Amino acid sequence: MSKLLKLREALVMNKPNYPLNYAIPEMFNLFGHSSLSILNNGEQLVNPYDFLIDLIDQVLLKNYESTEVSSLSQSKGVKVPKNKMGGDWILKSTVYSMMIRTSTTWDHDRNGYVDENNIYHLKETGTFIKTLALLPLLDKMGVDSIYLLPISKFSLKNKKGELGSPYGVSNFFELDPSLSDPMVENTLSLDEQFQALVEAAHTLGMRVMIDIIPRTNATESDLIIDHPEWFYWIKTSDLPIYNPPYVDEINDRTVSPTMKYMPTVYKNKKVLEHIHRFQFDPKTQNKDQWAKLKKEYAKKGGSILDLVDKYFGLTIAPAFSDHINDIQPPWTDVTFFRMYLDHPAETSKYLEDKNVAPYILFDTIKSNLYPGHKPNKELWDTLSNIIPHYQKTYGIDGARIDMGHALPKELVNQIISTARAIDPDFAFIAEELNVDNAKFARGLGYNMIIGNGFSMQPHIWEGKLHHFYYKSVDLDCAVFACGETHDTPRLAARDGGQNLSKFLTVMNMFMPNGVPFINSGQEVYERQPMNTGIDPRPNELYMLPPEDPFYMKLALFDKFALHYLNHMHNDIPDNLARVKPIRKKYLNTITDKKNYMPISFLEGYNPVGFAYEAKDEILIIVGNANPFDAQHVKIDLRPIRKRFELNQNEGRILYAMHEAGPRMFYEFDENQNPYFFMGAGEVKILVLQKNSKK
């Protein structure tokens, strides 16, 4: 049975007979549901059961086609030619990155707090079912691929923040129970709730991608009980002094563990002390004692780590950065998997005692560079079956492999080939930030890489934006056209603020060799980062005023509601809605690098732009990259005129950020070069007819 129809039945059946004044941001109601009341602050009061039923009826069942659990490509019968790579549909996608727990969090009962069980006995943090309310907004903005941050069950052991990080996965094959919705959980299982969300997205033509984390696992993982040898162990008494060893002899701060450094690393006294803190896993130490532990765990449950400490005085060693002399402290909630059952082949020669216990060090955890001779085959098989589980159970369309560049190449090949054996059109995103590795990533089977747009685009004054826009077209693999991610500062909190955010969000829709990427909250000018992992400034935690209920909170770890009541909350969505039909019309043109033409400027300070050759037209996108000042901008059109013998002095403006609609364009100088007056951070789209004489 369709899980979407089953969800509708559950909502009808479970609807209480008492009134609910359940507040939602008005931008959740884009389909015209008749609200109980409209509040002055931008909220609407609805009955959530009626609201979701109406959403299903009016929006999700409009183009409904009942299908079995499958990806969108499978349901459409897409065939991938033998000489093509499956999953390249993502190269024409607009991707929205979402954390389910956060993106629909709201103080629905308006008591001033985000409750996990409010006065209506409903959950105010995000759930799979509540996420349906966001789909009309995403559709309005032209989003056709949803990328979900981890949704698997995660551990609360040594958790960060109020709720813990979803990256501390404790069971790859179970969903995070906190994403279940009380409205229907007595009727729909958690699996069925996620199935309903994927099905709903597919009815709107949206694909669903997940994030998998095969390199690390929670320090308290469900895998420990059956496979303690897959992990690294230290004495519990050593945990307070456990830190990544600092190598004083290496003067460079935070360097990649290339081979030239490793002889020095292995001679360092702190490194040797660190290595000798590691212990063999408890099962290897004493099988009989381990059998007793397992029996007690099966009978009483509880914390597996507490039991290991009780029986053996051991605990899991936390992970840390694989860069030498990185000042980050240990990542207390996660650990590394042992990818090989022996020490790294290339650096084990530096070990005086080859029989030391398995240990975490810069080389052992960088197994793409330092493999061993004995792959942990059973672990690899488990990791390779994560995606197939989500394909067969939920019908997902793609995945990002977290830290995949640090995995053994053979394991990456196994993960990708196993998934594509089920769905040849399954897409893969590489967490590869170094664009120099684009060709290598494509060769491994990835459709695209994340790239470094998030660190380049906001830095306009240093020329990094222009470099990123103009050089990415030469890469062998597409990159995300993005100015922020869940790990970076928010664009609206950067130098240039809202103008910068809107400018980049619109320009990214037309970037050559780029896949537009919107980070949840970006569309409402969210200022507070979700995490401070990449490029944080000293004041990054304090982007909100002290009186804000989410001051100093980070969505990756804490209860956090996006600021959907921002008085400018419609600004970016409305602009993307205007751009959506233009991108759709020219999608094949702008995603084929052969059609791209660089343009230069005769006037203007740091403008940026792209041109594309369409069938009968020249499409030009021009932007004022100055988010503070308006300016006159003039394009040097002479190379394009000469190439296509263009003589006309008219065109058509399809979009201008500060104009209501399309219009004819006649602003050309005496040399037939178009010129524009552009507001701060403004984008304009001009189209010229080819082969027209006037």
Side-chain angles (χ1 to χ4, degrees):
M1 178 184 180
S2 159
K3 296 305 183 291
L4 197 53
L5 294 177
K6 187 174 180 180
L7 168 62
R8 189 190 187 283
E9 289 181 5
L11 291 165
V12 171
M13 182 173 62
N14 293 348
K15 177 184 171 182
N17 56 12
Y18 51 81
L20 286 82
N21 290 313
Y22 182 95
I24 61 170
E26 66 176 6
M27 64 191 308
F28 284 14
N29 184 13
L30 295 183
F31 60 97
H33 176 72
S34 181
S35 59
L36 302 172
S37 180
I38 298 176
L39 306 181
N40 292 330
N41 67 347
E43 289 179 300
Q44 296 183 6
L45 299 184
V46 300
N47 180 307
Y49 296 85
D50 289 337
F51 175 79
L52 287 169
I53 292 167
D54 200 15
L55 171 64
I56 292 170
D57 289 345
Q58 287 201 50
V59 179
L60 302 178
L61 295 183
K62 196 173 180 181
N63 300 308
Y64 178 73
E65 295 179 10
S66 181
T67 61
E68 297 296 321
V69 173
S70 65
S71 72
L72 202 56
S73 289
Q74 288 174 312
S75 66
K76 290 181 176 181
V78 173
K79 303 294 183 185
V80 179
K82 288 185 178 180
N83 61 336
K84 298 288 185 181
M85 180 185 292
D88 272 351
W89 52 260
I90 196 172
L91 305 182
K92 295 184 178 181
S93 290
T94 297
V95 179
Y96 185 88
S97 170
M98 177 193 300
M99 183 172 173
I100 296 286
R101 185 177 75 191
T102 298
S103 293
T104 54
T105 289
W106 201 252
D107 178 16
H108 297 296
D109 62 7
R110 296 177 296 149
N111 69 350
Y113 301 95
V114 170
D115 298 309
E116 292 173 75
N117 182 20
N118 69 10
I119 61 172
Y120 303 119
H121 303 295
L122 297 177
K123 191 173 290 182
E124 296 191 330
T125 51
T127 68
F128 289 129
I129 301 305
K130 286 170 62 179
T131 301
L132 269 63
L134 271 182
L135 297 183
L137 173 64
L138 303 189
D139 186 54
K140 172 183 177 176
M141 296 191 298
V143 170
D144 54 13
S145 295
I146 304 170
Y147 158 59
L148 302 177
L149 299 194
I151 54 175
S152 300
K153 177 184 173 185
F154 64 92
S155 171
L156 298 178
K157 183 79 171 178
N158 302 319
K159 70 176 183 179
K160 296 179 181 179
E162 299 168 310
L163 301 177
S165 168
Y167 282 90
V169 174
S170 59
N171 192 315
F172 292 118
F173 302 96
E174 292 183 21
L175 296 173
D176 172 8
S178 75
L179 303 181
S180 181
D181 201 301
M183 281 191 278
V184 295
E185 63 188 6
N186 65 331
T187 313
L188 265 71
S189 68
L190 182 55
D191 281 349
E192 290 176 316
Q193 292 176 49
F194 183 41
Q195 287 168 346
L197 173 58
V198 175
E199 187 179 332
H202 284 174
T203 65
L204 296 177
M206 296 180 190
R207 301 180 193 262
V208 178
M209 309 185 73
I210 64 168
D211 208 355
I212 68 162
I213 306 96
R215 189 188 184 207
T216 61
N217 215 223
T219 50
E220 183 151 68
S221 167
D222 291 359
L223 291 169
I224 292 173
I225 194 67
D226 292 319
H227 300 285
E229 72 280 5
W230 290 2
F231 299 89
Y232 296 93
W233 297 87
I234 59 173
K235 293 179 181 177
T236 308
S237 58
D238 280 343
L239 191 58
I241 59 173
Y242 177 86
N243 270 297
Y246 195 90
V247 185
D248 298 296
E249 294 86 351
I250 297 175
N251 296 322
D252 299 326
R253 178 181 169 183
T254 312
V255 295
S256 184
T258 55
M259 193 59 199
K260 70 177 182 178
Y261 294 115
M262 299 319 294
T264 303
V265 167
Y266 274 90
K267 290 177 183 176
N268 181 270
K269 181 180 178 182
K270 294 175 185 175
V271 168
L272 296 177
E273 290 174 353
H274 169 81
I275 289 173
H276 286 96
R277 286 196 182 100
F278 284 82
Q279 308 293 314
F280 287 98
D281 70 88
K283 182 180 177 182
T284 297
Q285 289 192 24
N286 191 323
K287 289 184 178 180
D288 293 338
Q289 193 79 337
W290 183 253
K292 290 180 183 178
L293 180 152
K294 288 186 69 172
K295 190 176 291 185
E296 181 175 342
Y297 183 72
K299 186 177 181 180
K300 297 180 180 178
S303 167
I304 180 65
L305 280 190
D306 288 349
L307 276 179
V308 177
D309 182 29
K310 170 185 169 183
Y311 277 82
F312 292 89
L314 299 176
T315 193
I316 294 286
F320 54 76
S321 169
D322 59 24
H323 275 54
I324 301 169
N325 292 350
D326 192 325
I327 61 172
Q328 290 185 70
W331 306 333
T332 56
D333 56 341
V334 295
T335 189
F336 289 109
F337 281 123
R338 282 184 65 202
M339 292 298 168
Y340 290 89
L341 298 176
D342 57 348
H343 302 304
E346 196 167 4
T347 52
S348 61
K349 60 189 175 186
Y350 301 123
L351 287 170
E352 291 184 9
D353 180 4
K354 301 292 192 293
N355 296 315
V356 294
Y359 56 93
I360 293 176
L361 196 58
F362 316 112
D363 53 341
T364 66
I365 54 181
K366 198 82 167 174
S367 51
N368 63 316
L369 298 179
Y370 299 100
H373 291 297
K374 300 177 182 178
N376 192 344
K377 192 69 173 67
E378 194 176 358
L379 170 62
W380 288 22
D381 290 344
T382 298
L383 298 176
S384 297
N385 281 313
I386 298 170
I387 291 175
H389 167 75
Y390 282 84
Q391 290 174 288
K392 295 172 183 177
T393 311
Y394 311 108
I396 63 165
D397 303 277
R400 183 194 80 137
I401 302 180
D402 184 76
M403 297 298 288
H405 59 278
L407 296 175
K409 181 176 68 173
E410 296 80 6
L411 174 56
V412 173
N413 288 336
Q414 184 176 339
I415 291 172
I416 291 176
S417 62
T418 305
R420 288 205 175 123
I422 296 170
D423 177 10
D425 207 26
F426 197 82
F428 280 96
I429 302 169
E431 192 194 12
E432 179 58 73
L433 311 184
N434 184 352
V435 295
D436 293 337
N437 294 330
K439 184 175 183 179
F440 179 74
R442 183 75 180 177
L444 284 177
Y446 288 107
N447 299 96
M448 63 168 296
I449 65 173
I450 289 180
N452 60 354
F454 57 84
S455 67
M456 300 287 281
Q457 290 196 1
H459 298 282
I460 291 173
W461 310 116
E462 301 94 325
K464 292 183 178 181
L465 169 71
H466 294 69
H467 181 89
F468 179 75
Y469 272 163
Y470 295 149
K471 295 297 183 182
S472 293
V473 71
D474 298 323
L475 298 176
D476 293 285
C477 192
V479 298
F480 270 138
C482 69
E484 67 172 61
T485 73
H486 67 276
D487 278 327
T488 72
R490 293 283 192 171
L491 281 173
R494 295 274 198 178
D495 189 26
Q498 293 185 4
N499 282 347
L500 173 71
S501 185
K502 181 165 64 170
F503 165 75
L504 290 175
T505 304
V506 174
M507 285 295 293
N508 284 343
M509 293 293 150
F510 300 94
M511 172 187 158
N513 207 27
V515 176
F517 178 97
I518 302 169
N519 185 34
S520 183
Q522 179 178 333
E523 72 275 20
V524 292
Y525 295 124
E526 182 62 57
R527 293 181 54 81
Q528 185 72 355
M530 299 177 68
N531 186 24
T532 54
I534 297 177
D535 199 21
R537 297 159 294 187
N539 63 336
E540 205 62 61
L541 266 179
Y542 312 103
M543 293 296 111
L544 299 174
E547 63 272 16
D548 190 288
F550 304 108
Y551 177 69
M552 291 183 64
K553 301 292 186 183
L554 296 174
L556 211 63
F557 315 109
D558 302 309
K559 294 178 183 177
F560 192 94
L562 298 171
H563 290 74
Y564 288 119
L565 301 186
N566 179 343
H567 73 287
M568 297 290 286
H569 65 263
N570 286 323
D571 194 21
I572 287 181
D574 285 350
N575 275 275
L576 290 181
R578 294 172 57 201
V579 164
K580 176 182 173 180
I582 303 172
R583 176 173 163 81
K584 182 178 180 180
K585 178 180 178 180
Y586 294 99
L587 186 59
N588 289 334
T589 297
I590 64 178
T591 54
D592 186 340
K593 292 195 291 185
K594 294 195 299 287
N595 298 320
Y596 168 71
M597 295 179 288
I599 59 175
S600 56
F601 296 89
L602 298 170
E603 290 182 16
Y605 178 74
N606 255 5
V608 66
F610 322 121
Y612 295 93
E613 178 190 0
K615 182 179 179 183
D616 299 313
E617 299 168 319
I618 303 298
L619 182 71
I620 298 174
I621 301 94
V622 59
N624 176 10
N626 184 339
F628 297 103
D629 301 302
Q631 64 170 323
H632 291 277
V633 171
K634 183 185 291 185
I635 296 175
D636 184 358
L637 200 61
R638 290 171 294 182
I640 292 176
R641 283 194 179 277
K642 182 178 180 181
R643 177 177 172 183
F644 298 103
E645 299 182 355
L646 300 181
N647 296 313
Q648 72 272 29
N649 282 334
E650 67 176 33
R652 186 168 178 80
I653 294 287
L654 301 182
Y655 165 85
M657 206 171 266
H658 303 317
E659 297 180 28
R663 66 171 173 86
M664 292 303 295
F665 178 84
Y666 303 103
E667 289 76 37
F668 293 84
D669 69 6
E670 64 276 11
N671 295 313
Q672 297 184 304
N673 293 310
Y675 58 89
F676 311 85
F677 180 74
M678 307 192 72
E682 187 178 12
V683 177
K684 292 186 178 182
I685 300 176
L686 172 69
V687 66
L688 303 174
Q689 293 294 318
K690 288 164 60 176
N691 303 320
S692 175
K693 308 289 184 180
K694 187 168 181 177

